[in-house]
Every structure is written in structure tokens, then in C-alpha cells.
Amino acid sequence: MLPSLKWNFVLVFVVYLRTVNSQCRQSYITICDTFEDFRNLNDTENVSDMMIGSEDGHTNMTTVDLMKTLQLNKFHKLTTLMIVRAINQLEITEEAYECRYEDLSLQHLILYGNILKTVGPYHFPITDPLKRLSLVNNQIESLQEYAFVNYDIENLDLSDNLLELIVGSSFPLRRSTKVITLKNNRLTHIEPESFPETLETLHLDKNKLRYIQDEVLQPLINLKVFTLSHNNLNNLPKVKHMKQLVSFDISNNAISTIKKDTFKNMKNLKFVDLSNNRITDAMIFKWIYTPQKQPHLTVSLAFNRLKELNVDGVVLQNQTFVLYGNPWDCDKWRDLKIKLGGQESECDKKISASNEVPYCINYNTDDIAAGDIPAGMFEPYIDRMHNTIKNNVKAAGCVLQEKKYEFLFPKFYVCLA
Ligand SMILES: *[C@@H]1O[C@H](CO)[C@@H](O)[C@H](O)[C@H]1NC(C)=O
Ligand SMILES: *[C@@H]1O[C@H](CO)[C@@H](O)[C@H](O)[C@H]1NC(C)=O
Ligand SMILES: *[C@@H]1O[C@H](CO)[C@@H](O)[C@H](O)[C@H]1NC(C)=O
Ligand SMILES: *[C@@H]1O[C@H](CO)[C@@H](O)[C@H](O)[C@H]1NC(C)=O
């Protein structure tokens, strides 16, 4: 018994030493628990993917000057650097101290789950060009002017933070910037001159935007994907000049109608999502549609307040309509269905074929007189109808997401059994 006990003791002692005098370790990536370990790391020449911090938050967060700490010149092969739950505040220990690296392999710099509060110039080393800077989920409340303006970043993601305001000249304005994502913040205002002209994708979903000034969007003539879902917009912002637009999502807002010819100049437009708004305007599709301009357009008007829809003079071939979840007037709906001649989405077909899901409302006076539906009291009834249909839509597995991806990233493949 005794020798084996002794062996156990030695083993425990070794493990103890490793945690006290902890170093970075090699797993599927190189992991350094602390910035101190990172600074002491000597064998850096072959490190390609690295994490500082811990995924489960078992290390302490510290205040750090990243410009000074991230001495990246000894990491020639580093392509991805992640800093996870390791920082509780960014600091600048020396005013205007700047490190600029050229010809690094670094492509992805990702900070996740830190507490950054504010980000400004001189907070990060400049490692041009960077494919992606992700600052998702870091409790960022503000970006200072010129925060990223000198950085060459293709894809900047600031989702899941606490931003309320975007001040002009805080984002990179270099020619290489293609994607900016600001989902799930608290944005109420964006200043003009925030976004570079080269931008191709802009995601502003899940904020508190009520209004976007024309000047903010004016430079964005190259935008292909623009998403604004889950905001408080009453009106469509000005997008008419975005001739390259392919996909436009303004679902889950408070839009009641759109201006005529809004999409007139967009020859590549394939997808317009206006679902979950407050559209009552029967002319809406006439305002969206431009004859012969967008031959393969999918328009979602799901979950609005449409009782009828005018499609007179519209060439319906190759167009797809998503129409479920509107309080259609049953008489008008029957006429519309005949006119559509099968151009409704697959999901519409499934739902209208099912007898359990309400699809239209009898607004005729007999029902109202009979007390089934009190006149002028349709609103709660429509809400109830929306909820019933929503549950069924979920059950039927109707998602437009896939369709969106198809347009944006067309992939041709076959799977053979
Ligand atoms: C790295 O090298 C320095 C200087 O040679 C040394 O002090 C340090 O302990 C080394 N770090 C590790 C983790 O071996
Ligand atoms: C890095 O990789 C090269 C080639 O495989 C090898 O010769 C060298 O010893 C490695 N360096 C370190 C510090 O592991
Ligand atoms: C975290 O900080 C506390 C208090 O300063 C300290 O007692 C603890 O040992 C630290 N934990 C680690 C893993 O460094
Ligand atoms: C519908 O699409 C087909 C195939 O792309 C095309 O040949 C046809 O002209 C389109 N029809 C209309 C009305 O645009």
C-alpha cells in the first residue's frame, strides 16, 4: 500500500505546481489563462490559434492596456486571437502610445464576454488588414470618436452590447470595410458619417431605432444586405439610392406603408421582409413592385393588418408572396387567391389548406350584428388571430431564413442516397 500512496502524493504535488506557476497550455488551440501567462509565453513561433482567458469564467478579470500587452511581433503565424472573460476594463497607460504591425498573419481578433464599457482610439494594436474584429457581448456602452477610424477591418461586429449612440467617425472608414453588425444593442441614434461607402452588409436588428436620418444612409450605395428588424421604425428609412440591394429586412417594426417606387432602381432585389408590421395599405404591393425590374422577388407581408391586397397589373410569374397572418376579409381573400394563381409561399399553401388555422375574417355586418365580433373591436381579435397562426406557423416549420441565405450565398449541391 505504502509505495502507491507515495506515488499519489507526488502526482498531486506536480498538479499543484502547475496551477500555482501556471503557463499557457496547448489544446486544440493555445490557451493562456491570464495576460501574465501570455506575456511569459516563449514558444510563440508556431502558435496559430490562441485564447486568453477562460470559457467558463474561472479566472479573474483584470484591467489591461491591450496596446502594450499584445506584443504581437513574436507571433508570426497567429491567425486567430480570442480574449474571453479576461478583461474588466480597458486602460491606456501612456497617452497616444501606438503599436502598428504589418504583415502579421492575424485575421480574426475576437473579444467575448469581457467588460469593456467604452472603446476608443489607442485601445487596440493596429494590425492591418484584419478580416474580422468581433466585440460581441462585452458590455460596451460607448464608442469614442475615432475609435476604429484608423483600422483596416473587413468585418466589424459589435452585437450584444449596450450602445445607445453611434457618433460619426468612430467606425473604420477604409475601403476594405464590408460588413458592420450592431445587433441587439440599445441604439436610438446614429450620426451621419458613421458608415463607409464600401459597406456591403449592415445589420442593425434588435435596437430601439425610431428614425434614421437620410444622411446616415446616403453614402451606402454599395449595400447589398440591409437588416433593421425588431426596432421601432414608423417609416422606411431612405433606401432608394441603394441600387445593389439584394435583401432588405425591416420586419418587426411599426411600418404602416411605404412610398411608391422605393425599390424601383434595385435590379438585384430578391427579398423584402415587411412581416410583423402594421401595414393596412391594400396598395402596398403596387408600391413595392416595379414591372420587369425584379423578376425573382420574394415579399413577406406576413403578420400585418391587411384586409385586402391589390395586385392588378402585376406580373406574378416568378414572384413569391408570404401572406399568412393577415386579417383578410374573406370575400376579398377568395378573389385574391384566384388572382395569385399559386404564387403564394409554400407555407401559405400549407396553412390555408389546414382547416384548423383561421385565414380570414368575415367582416360583414351580419356577424357584427349577431354580436360575434363587436364593431370597431377587431384589434384584440386580430392579435388573437396572429397568435394562433404564429403557433401553427412554428409547427409547420415555416422559416424564411433559409430562403434568405439561398439568395445571399447561392450554393449548388446534390445529396445522393
Ligand atoms: C520565458 O523566457 C524568460 C526569459 O528567458 C523566462 O524568464 C521565463 O520564465 C520563460 N517562460 C516560461 C513560461 O518558460
Ligand atoms: C515550430 O515548427 C517547426 C517546424 O515544424 C519546428 O522545427 C520548430 O521546432 C517549432 N518550434 C517550436 C517552438 O515548437
Ligand atoms: C481571483 O482573485 C481573488 C481575490 O483577489 C483571489 O483570492 C483568487 O485567488 C483569484 N483567483 C485566481 C484563479 O487567480
Ligand atoms: C421567370 O423565370 C424564368 C427562369 O428564370 C424566365 O425564363 C422567365 O422569363 C421569368 N418570367 C418572368 C415573367 O420574368
Side-chain angles (χ1 to χ4, degrees), residues 22-24 37 39-43:
S22 76
Q23 298 166 359
C24 302
D37 294 346
R39 275 188 292 260
N40 289 332
L41 183 65
N42 289 333
D43 296 336

PDB file of all heavy atoms in Angstrom, residues 22-24 37 39-43, ligand 1:
ATOM      1  N   SER A  22       1.289  28.735 -13.210  1.00  0.00           N
ATOM      2  CA  SER A  22       0.564  28.296 -14.400  1.00  0.00           C
ATOM      3  C   SER A  22       1.157  28.894 -15.666  1.00  0.00           C
ATOM      4  O   SER A  22       1.680  29.997 -15.689  1.00  0.00           O
ATOM      5  CB  SER A  22      -0.904  28.672 -14.289  1.00  0.00           C
ATOM      6  OG  SER A  22      -1.074  30.039 -14.538  1.00  0.00           O
ATOM      7  N   GLN A  23       1.060  28.124 -16.728  1.00  0.00           N
ATOM      8  CA  GLN A  23       1.567  28.560 -18.018  1.00  0.00           C
ATOM      9  C   GLN A  23       0.462  28.369 -19.045  1.00  0.00           C
ATOM     10  O   GLN A  23      -0.553  27.782 -18.759  1.00  0.00           O
ATOM     11  CB  GLN A  23       2.753  27.684 -18.429  1.00  0.00           C
ATOM     12  CG  GLN A  23       3.909  27.767 -17.474  1.00  0.00           C
ATOM     13  CD  GLN A  23       4.915  26.656 -17.724  1.00  0.00           C
ATOM     14  OE1 GLN A  23       4.708  25.824 -18.610  1.00  0.00           O
ATOM     15  NE2 GLN A  23       5.968  26.651 -16.968  1.00  0.00           N
ATOM     16  N   CYS A  24       0.735  28.845 -20.226  1.00  0.00           N
ATOM     17  CA  CYS A  24      -0.220  28.593 -21.291  1.00  0.00           C
ATOM     18  C   CYS A  24      -0.151  27.126 -21.647  1.00  0.00           C
ATOM     19  O   CYS A  24       0.890  26.494 -21.501  1.00  0.00           O
ATOM     20  CB  CYS A  24       0.127  29.442 -22.502  1.00  0.00           C
ATOM     21  SG  CYS A  24       0.163  31.209 -22.119  1.00  0.00           S
ATOM     22  N   ASP A  37       0.439  35.036 -18.104  1.00  0.00           N
ATOM     23  CA  ASP A  37       0.897  33.825 -18.796  1.00  0.00           C
ATOM     24  C   ASP A  37       1.206  34.130 -20.258  1.00  0.00           C
ATOM     25  O   ASP A  37       2.184  33.639 -20.822  1.00  0.00           O
ATOM     26  CB  ASP A  37      -0.173  32.727 -18.736  1.00  0.00           C
ATOM     27  CG  ASP A  37      -0.405  32.235 -17.325  1.00  0.00           C
ATOM     28  OD1 ASP A  37       0.428  32.549 -16.451  1.00  0.00           O
ATOM     29  OD2 ASP A  37      -1.413  31.543 -17.085  1.00  0.00           O
ATOM     30  N   ARG A  39       2.166  36.948 -21.516  1.00  0.00           N
ATOM     31  CA  ARG A  39       3.423  37.710 -21.625  1.00  0.00           C
ATOM     32  C   ARG A  39       4.645  36.805 -21.457  1.00  0.00           C
ATOM     33  O   ARG A  39       5.685  37.028 -22.052  1.00  0.00           O
ATOM     34  CB  ARG A  39       3.457  38.835 -20.577  1.00  0.00           C
ATOM     35  CG  ARG A  39       2.763  40.105 -21.047  1.00  0.00           C
ATOM     36  CD  ARG A  39       2.987  41.239 -20.062  1.00  0.00           C
ATOM     37  NE  ARG A  39       2.308  41.002 -18.799  1.00  0.00           N
ATOM     38  CZ  ARG A  39       1.137  41.566 -18.476  1.00  0.00           C
ATOM     39  NH1 ARG A  39       0.548  42.393 -19.299  1.00  0.00           N
ATOM     40  NH2 ARG A  39       0.567  41.305 -17.328  1.00  0.00           N
ATOM     41  N   ASN A  40       4.482  35.766 -20.625  1.00  0.00           N
ATOM     42  CA  ASN A  40       5.615  34.875 -20.354  1.00  0.00           C
ATOM     43  C   ASN A  40       5.784  33.757 -21.371  1.00  0.00           C
ATOM     44  O   ASN A  40       6.724  32.970 -21.284  1.00  0.00           O
ATOM     45  CB  ASN A  40       5.464  34.239 -18.964  1.00  0.00           C
ATOM     46  CG  ASN A  40       5.697  35.269 -17.881  1.00  0.00           C
ATOM     47  OD1 ASN A  40       6.426  36.240 -18.091  1.00  0.00           O
ATOM     48  ND2 ASN A  40       5.074  35.080 -16.732  1.00  0.00           N
ATOM     49  N   LEU A  41       4.862  33.670 -22.294  1.00  0.00           N
ATOM     50  CA  LEU A  41       4.923  32.585 -23.273  1.00  0.00           C
ATOM     51  C   LEU A  41       6.132  32.780 -24.184  1.00  0.00           C
ATOM     52  O   LEU A  41       6.322  33.846 -24.746  1.00  0.00           O
ATOM     53  CB  LEU A  41       3.630  32.591 -24.107  1.00  0.00           C
ATOM     54  CG  LEU A  41       3.459  31.488 -25.132  1.00  0.00           C
ATOM     55  CD1 LEU A  41       3.350  30.131 -24.453  1.00  0.00           C
ATOM     56  CD2 LEU A  41       2.213  31.744 -25.968  1.00  0.00           C
ATOM     57  N   ASN A  42       6.967  31.737 -24.284  1.00  0.00           N
ATOM     58  CA  ASN A  42       8.185  31.879 -25.071  1.00  0.00           C
ATOM     59  C   ASN A  42       8.128  31.208 -26.434  1.00  0.00           C
ATOM     60  O   ASN A  42       8.605  31.755 -27.414  1.00  0.00           O
ATOM     61  CB  ASN A  42       9.389  31.317 -24.295  1.00  0.00           C
ATOM     62  CG  ASN A  42       9.733  32.219 -23.126  1.00  0.00           C
ATOM     63  OD1 ASN A  42       9.462  33.413 -23.161  1.00  0.00           O
ATOM     64  ND2 ASN A  42      10.287  31.640 -22.081  1.00  0.00           N
ATOM     65  N   ASP A  43       7.512  30.001 -26.494  1.00  0.00           N
ATOM     66  CA  ASP A  43       7.492  29.288 -27.779  1.00  0.00           C
ATOM     67  C   ASP A  43       6.327  29.806 -28.614  1.00  0.00           C
ATOM     68  O   ASP A  43       5.272  29.194 -28.682  1.00  0.00           O
ATOM     69  CB  ASP A  43       7.343  27.779 -27.557  1.00  0.00           C
ATOM     70  CG  ASP A  43       8.555  27.231 -26.827  1.00  0.00           C
ATOM     71  OD1 ASP A  43       9.624  27.876 -26.919  1.00  0.00           O
ATOM     72  OD2 ASP A  43       8.430  26.182 -26.183  1.00  0.00           O
TER      73      ASP A  43
HETATM   74  C1  LIG B   1      10.486  32.605 -20.974  1.00  0.00           C
HETATM   75  O1  LIG B   1      11.770  33.153 -21.027  1.00  0.00           O
HETATM   76  C2  LIG B   1      12.061  34.073 -19.986  1.00  0.00           C
HETATM   77  C3  LIG B   1      13.427  34.687 -20.259  1.00  0.00           C
HETATM   78  O2  LIG B   1      14.279  33.725 -20.806  1.00  0.00           O
HETATM   79  C4  LIG B   1      11.959  33.384 -18.632  1.00  0.00           C
HETATM   80  O3  LIG B   1      12.219  34.298 -17.578  1.00  0.00           O
HETATM   81  C5  LIG B   1      10.570  32.783 -18.470  1.00  0.00           C
HETATM   82  O4  LIG B   1      10.471  32.050 -17.275  1.00  0.00           O
HETATM   83  C6  LIG B   1      10.235  31.905 -19.655  1.00  0.00           C
HETATM   84  N1  LIG B   1       8.839  31.492 -19.536  1.00  0.00           N
HETATM   85  C7  LIG B   1       8.425  30.254 -19.488  1.00  0.00           C
HETATM   86  C8  LIG B   1       6.965  30.027 -19.356  1.00  0.00           C
HETATM   87  O5  LIG B   1       9.190  29.329 -19.583  1.00  0.00           O
END
